[in-house]
Amino acid sequence: MKTVPKYELLLLLVLIIPIGIYAQKLNQYSEKEDAGRIYHQLQEKLNFAKNRPENQNQIAIAYLNLGEYYHTFGLYTEAIAQYNFALKELGSNLENPLYITLNNNIGKVYLSLNNFNLAEQHFEETKQASERLGDDKELAISLGFLGASHEKQGEYKEALKDQRQSLELFQKLDDVQGVALTNENIGSIYEDLEQFDLAHSYFTKAYHYFEGSRTAQEINVLNNLGDVFRKKGEFYIGVEYTTRALELAKELADHRQLESAHKDLSKSFVLMENFKEAHANLVLAEEYNSKMLKTQNIDQLNVLQTIFETNKKEAEIKLLKEQSKVSRANQNVLWVALFAIAVILTILYFYLGRKGKAKIKLQEYKQRMLKAELEKKAIEEKNLQREVQLKTSSLSRYSLHLSQKNKILLDLSNSLTNIASRKNMNTSEKIKTLVKEIDHNLQEENEWDEFMSFFKEIHPEFIKKLSKLSENSLSPAELRLGMLLRLNLSSKEIASILRVTPDSVRVARYRLRKKLPIGQKEELVNFMIDL
């Protein structure tokens, strides 16, 4: 296992605009006055940016700097609030490079809190934004953070995939420090997987860059190399590397690394059965851990106290200014003002009272008018419904009348034809002429024209809707069949009206059905009625 989470090292890759200078110095400024001075500087920059609201980027940067200030001291809730203020200033402009930095910073806070789902959500958004902008460096950083999140959850396959993609991008950019840190992260994953030879290889690559830098990164790599040798059973070599890390940590007065080195030495001496040294190092590790926590708590307390005192002073200054303004006002003028306010309030009270009563009356009048209008509409609707029912009834009666008439004429025509076929009768020629006239009348379309006019008056949109739904154009005969079906007439009644056999009607219905988008189980008559 790693002594210090590797994802924290990725923080060094993010370019924070002015806050980068502050973040490097904050470890040296544990005094209350220093923390207060930095906070005042950041707050002044924010106020200055707010006075020039046209430059939203500067306001966002000022919030970002404050967020980094809180984050450095472990005040995560306050940090998230400042980052969200910054995002609000940027709005929906996802193409702004500052959006990437803010999203990464929010993800780092959630990663510090082990809230992996939210952390990965922000890192994924940053990754997508970096791809859209073609920013390979930010993409490499985002992939590194995603890899760190997967590693902390034990998802080593995904972690290796992300870190290798990050390494390729840093190598492409010739970013030596990025390459070194990513190699160390990959080594850390292999250490967790107990593939110690591969872990040693990657840690060695990272150490080639950090060697002699006298930085926390060099201490961390030395500690990791010591861990690998200890886990491989090469205890003396492991102790040598950890001791080098310990000496360097003493030079830098880094309590975190001192605590980590002593803890690793304690583990090594236990395995070497040197329990006296193991206990001594464990005690020292606890002491440094206690000092580190105490320092961290004091720093947080100083920051919170500074913020509280600053806000308190600002409130007191505002209060004194207001009191000064009031004290300069003449008492007589104040009484006059109060009297004027009283008069105005009295007049306003009566005015609003009258206006309220007038408004109530107007509302009552409008309600009565609306009620009358609704009643009128209801009556009109009932009349229209009654008229439609009457017309529908008339149309049905008309259809039946037409059917009966055609049937009578057809029967008469057949009868006369039979009479005419008798040769011994003298009236043969006259009856034939009569038959021709009757047949001629049967073929006339005047009654159909009247029927069409009547049907369109009741169902004005039916023919248009039916034509649109048809896959192929409908013939006049098919349109007539559709109208008769809309009236819910039987096949026998339709056959009588159209002067065809019921079998012909069934064939015509089948052909019409094929041209329409009707389900297999749906009735053709119901389809027509629903149009």
Side-chain angles (χ1 to χ4, degrees):
M1 296 301 292
K2 307 177 295 302
T3 56
V4 178
K6 299 302 180 294
Y7 76 90
E8 291 185 356
L9 298 175
L10 288 170
L11 306 182
L12 299 173
L13 297 175
V14 183
L15 297 178
I16 307 300
I17 306 173
I19 196 61
I21 301 171
Y22 295 128
Q24 293 174 5
K25 292 182 178 180
L26 280 174
N27 288 330
Q28 304 169 9
Y29 293 147
S30 61
E31 297 293 333
K32 178 180 175 182
E33 292 78 7
D34 294 324
R37 180 173 56 82
I38 295 174
Y39 174 78
H40 289 313
Q41 290 175 354
L42 295 174
Q43 195 66 45
E44 285 174 4
K45 287 188 176 183
L46 175 61
N47 294 334
F48 178 78
K50 284 183 176 180
N51 290 330
R52 303 176 68 184
E54 69 277 359
N55 194 344
Q56 291 179 317
N57 259 19
Q58 291 301 320
I59 300 175
I61 290 170
Y63 279 124
L64 169 63
N65 293 343
L66 274 170
E68 280 291 338
Y69 174 83
Y70 290 127
H71 191 181
T72 303
F73 287 104
L75 301 171
Y76 299 124
T77 303
E78 291 80 0
I80 287 288
Q82 299 301 319
Y83 292 147
N84 284 328
F85 289 147
L87 284 175
K88 186 177 180 181
E89 290 297 327
L90 294 180
S92 58
N93 184 11
L94 303 183
E95 304 302 322
N96 193 325
L98 193 56
Y99 170 81
I100 297 174
T101 302
L102 282 164
N103 231 26
N104 262 340
N105 283 6
I106 294 173
K108 285 183 287 183
V109 174
Y110 286 125
L111 192 58
S112 299
L113 295 170
N114 291 332
N115 191 334
F116 303 115
N117 289 334
L118 285 176
E120 289 178 16
Q121 178 183 332
H122 285 280
F123 293 146
E124 282 290 349
E125 290 177 4
T126 305
K127 173 185 169 185
Q128 293 171 11
S130 301
E131 289 173 342
R132 286 196 305 269
L133 294 174
D135 192 333
D136 287 343
K137 184 166 184 177
E138 291 294 347
L139 179 58
I141 294 170
S142 299
L143 286 167
F145 282 130
L146 280 170
S149 178
H150 288 308
E151 181 187 358
K152 290 188 75 175
Q153 298 175 79
E155 300 170 354
Y156 300 115
K157 184 177 179 180
E158 292 82 356
L160 280 172
K161 179 182 176 183
D162 292 331
Q163 295 292 3
R164 283 170 178 163
Q165 289 179 359
S166 177
L167 181 60
E168 288 177 6
L169 288 170
F170 279 128
Q171 288 173 338
K172 175 184 173 183
L173 294 167
D174 199 23
D175 189 325
V176 182
Q177 187 177 19
V179 170
L181 289 170
T182 309
N183 274 320
E184 185 178 2
N185 291 330
I186 295 174
S188 169
I189 297 170
Y190 281 121
E191 183 184 349
D192 289 344
L193 292 170
E194 297 184 357
Q195 298 182 31
F196 301 122
D197 290 335
L198 283 172
H200 176 266
S201 173
Y202 280 99
F203 285 145
T204 303
K205 290 177 184 177
Y207 185 62
H208 285 327
Y209 174 79
F210 293 124
E211 186 176 7
S213 64
R214 322 301 288 176
T215 60
Q217 290 90 341
E218 182 179 1
I219 301 172
N220 208 63
V221 177
L222 285 170
N223 265 329
N224 284 325
L225 285 168
D227 283 346
V228 170
F229 280 113
R230 184 184 76 249
K231 292 174 181 177
K232 289 170 66 177
E234 301 176 21
F235 305 127
Y236 291 99
I237 300 176
V239 168
E240 180 184 346
Y241 274 102
T242 307
T243 303
R244 288 167 60 185
L246 179 63
E247 295 301 323
L248 185 54
K250 287 179 180 178
E251 290 182 22
L252 298 179
D254 190 329
H255 288 178
R256 179 188 290 270
Q257 295 292 354
L258 283 167
E259 183 255 350
S260 177
H262 279 298
K263 188 180 292 183
D264 288 345
L265 283 172
S266 176
K267 293 177 183 178
S268 296
F269 284 124
V270 167
L271 294 171
M272 296 165 67
E273 298 184 355
N274 188 344
F275 300 112
K276 182 178 180 181
E277 287 294 329
H279 178 266
N281 279 280
L282 185 60
V283 170
L284 289 171
E286 290 297 328
E287 288 179 2
Y288 281 116
N289 183 56
S290 178
K291 289 180 181 178
M292 183 176 63
L293 291 175
K294 183 178 179 181
T295 301
Q296 183 179 359
N297 290 335
I298 291 173
D299 287 344
Q300 288 185 351
L301 183 61
N302 285 338
V303 171
L304 292 174
Q305 184 66 23
T306 300
I307 296 169
F308 172 76
E309 290 180 357
T310 301
N311 292 335
K312 183 179 178 181
K313 287 179 181 178
E314 289 178 355
E316 289 175 351
I317 291 170
K318 288 181 180 179
L319 182 61
L320 288 173
K321 286 181 178 179
E322 293 298 324
Q323 289 176 347
S324 178
K325 290 179 181 178
V326 173
S327 64
R328 288 195 301 265
N330 189 281
Q331 190 173 8
N332 293 331
V333 174
L334 179 61
W335 281 111
V336 170
L338 290 173
F339 177 76
I341 291 171
V343 172
I344 292 171
L345 288 175
T346 303
I347 295 171
L348 189 62
Y349 173 77
F350 285 108
Y351 171 75
L352 291 176
R354 290 183 179 180
K355 188 175 180 181
K357 291 178 181 178
K359 188 176 181 180
I360 291 171
K361 289 182 179 179
L362 180 62
Q363 288 177 347
E364 290 176 351
Y365 174 75
K366 286 183 178 179
Q367 287 176 354
R368 289 196 297 272
M369 292 295 292
L370 182 61
K371 185 177 179 181
E373 186 69 22
L374 289 173
E375 290 175 354
K376 182 180 177 182
K377 292 289 183 183
I379 293 170
E380 290 178 354
E381 185 178 355
K382 286 182 180 178
N383 291 335
L384 287 173
Q385 288 177 353
R386 191 180 299 110
E387 185 178 349
V388 169
Q389 289 175 355
L390 289 172
K391 288 186 176 181
T392 302
S393 176
S394 300
L395 184 60
S396 299
R397 289 196 302 272
Y398 185 83
S399 299
L400 291 174
H401 170 73
L402 185 64
S403 172
Q404 292 171 356
K405 174 188 172 184
N406 286 342
K407 186 176 184 306
I408 292 169
L409 289 175
L410 187 62
D411 292 342
L412 182 61
S413 176
N414 290 335
S415 299
L416 291 174
T417 301
N418 292 333
I419 294 171
S421 64
R422 298 176 184 178
K423 297 180 180 180
N424 57 348
M425 293 182 69
N426 296 329
T427 60
S428 176
E429 291 297 326
K430 187 174 180 179
I431 292 174
K432 286 181 181 179
T433 303
L434 182 60
V435 169
K436 288 180 181 180
E437 289 179 359
I438 292 172
D439 288 340
H440 177 71
N441 289 332
L442 286 171
Q443 293 174 3
E444 287 183 354
E445 296 294 331
N446 291 337
E447 289 181 339
W448 269 111
D449 291 340
E450 186 178 352
F451 177 82
M452 285 287 287
S453 175
F454 208 177
F455 185 88
K456 287 180 180 179
E457 185 177 350
I458 298 175
H459 307 291
E461 299 295 324
F462 177 80
I463 295 176
K464 186 184 295 184
K465 289 181 180 179
L466 185 62
S467 300
K468 285 184 178 180
L469 289 173
S470 172
E471 296 178 359
N472 301 310
S473 59
L474 298 177
S475 65
E478 288 170 334
L479 289 174
R480 288 176 183 175
L481 176 59
M483 289 187 289
L484 294 171
L485 289 171
R486 176 65 182 82
L487 296 175
N488 201 16
L489 298 178
S490 65
S491 296
K492 187 175 180 181
E493 291 170 336
I494 294 173
S496 175
I497 293 172
L498 297 178
R499 302 188 302 279
V500 295
T501 64
D503 288 340
S504 298
V505 174
R506 282 192 289 273
V507 172
R509 287 177 65 157
Y510 174 75
R511 290 175 179 172
L512 177 60
R513 185 186 185 93
K514 288 183 65 178
K515 291 185 177 183
L516 298 173
I518 308 177
Q520 292 183 353
K521 296 183 179 180
E522 187 176 0
E523 292 291 338
L524 181 61
V525 173
N526 294 336
F527 179 82
M528 294 297 178
I529 292 173
D530 290 338
L531 282 182

